[in-house]
Amino acid sequence: MQIRLLEKSDQSQVEYIMAGHPLQFPPFIMEKYPERWQAFLAIQNDKQCRYYVYLAESGEVAGHAGYLLNEELALYEIEGVAVSPKNQRQGIGKALIDNICKQIRKLGRTQVILYTLGHAGNEDTLSFYRGIGFEMMNWENDYFQKDYHRVTFVKGL
């Protein structure tokens, strides 16, 4: 198993993984990623953003996560954390996030932010982030649209 930078050929596999999690990746969230990946692949600037995939022993993409610079907050933001359903609960999401936190520390930062959706059915995601050291800082009702709340998590590095 290996974590490596996202390649153009990985995008369809990552979209498939995200589509398998409609509560975490509704269409209005999924539609943002192709443009973000394209920018990352074109620029390859670790100070702006990076996207990673976790490869299973078979070579298939089993997980994805990335970070981007949230210029408004002057913090790096972890985003797009997704693990294929058949590979969940094996530490892949945590490994991807740990890898990203390590990269962000190398950039001289001491804190990272993460936003996720807070709505019925997404409680396991919130528990996961709390369980790996993120602290919930804010809950914004109907942020994206009705019944799609934004939850803000922060973690010290």
Side-chain angles (χ1 to χ4, degrees):
M1 297 186 207
Q2 168 191 9
I3 295 175
R4 66 161 167 75
L5 289 173
L6 175 88
E7 297 173 358
K8 185 169 179 56
S9 61
D10 300 325
Q11 292 180 32
S12 62
Q13 291 179 73
V14 174
E15 287 175 336
Y16 180 78
I17 290 170
M18 288 177 168
H21 301 286
L23 291 176
Q24 293 84 8
F25 294 96
F28 65 89
I29 296 292
M30 289 222 13
E31 69 188 17
K32 297 177 181 187
Y33 283 94
E35 183 178 327
R36 290 176 181 178
W37 293 327
Q38 184 178 2
F40 160 69
L41 292 167
I43 297 170
Q44 294 282 325
N45 179 350
D46 67 342
K47 291 184 173 123
Q48 284 301 114
C49 66
R50 277 223 161 146
Y51 293 92
Y52 296 91
V53 293
Y54 187 104
L55 299 178
E57 289 181 19
S58 65
E60 73 180 353
V61 174
H64 167 274
Y67 69 86
L68 57 79
L69 179 59
N70 182 321
E71 293 179 4
E72 182 180 323
L73 298 175
L75 289 171
Y76 283 101
E77 176 183 331
I78 295 176
E79 64 168 16
V81 180
V83 176
S84 68
K86 68 181 180 182
N87 292 295
Q88 288 187 324
R89 307 213 185 280
Q90 297 177 27
I92 293 171
K94 182 181 183 313
L96 284 161
I97 290 171
D98 287 348
N99 179 67
I100 288 170
C101 288
K102 180 180 170 184
Q103 297 302 319
I104 293 171
R105 272 194 305 271
K106 285 182 183 178
L107 294 170
R109 301 301 175 104
T110 59
Q111 192 175 53
V112 66
I113 195 166
L114 181 148
Y115 298 107
T116 192
L117 296 174
H119 54 274
N122 205 27
E123 295 85 3
D124 287 347
T125 300
L126 304 180
S127 294
F128 167 72
Y129 291 127
R130 284 187 191 105
I132 60 171
F134 283 85
E135 181 181 349
M136 189 172 86
M137 300 301 291
N138 199 14
W139 181 288
E140 298 166 272
N141 284 324
D142 301 328
Y143 181 86
F144 296 101
Q145 61 189 44
K146 185 168 175 32
D147 296 326
Y148 282 91
H149 319 301
R150 183 169 84 166
V151 183
T152 305
F153 285 94
V154 175
K155 181 177 182 174
L157 302 178

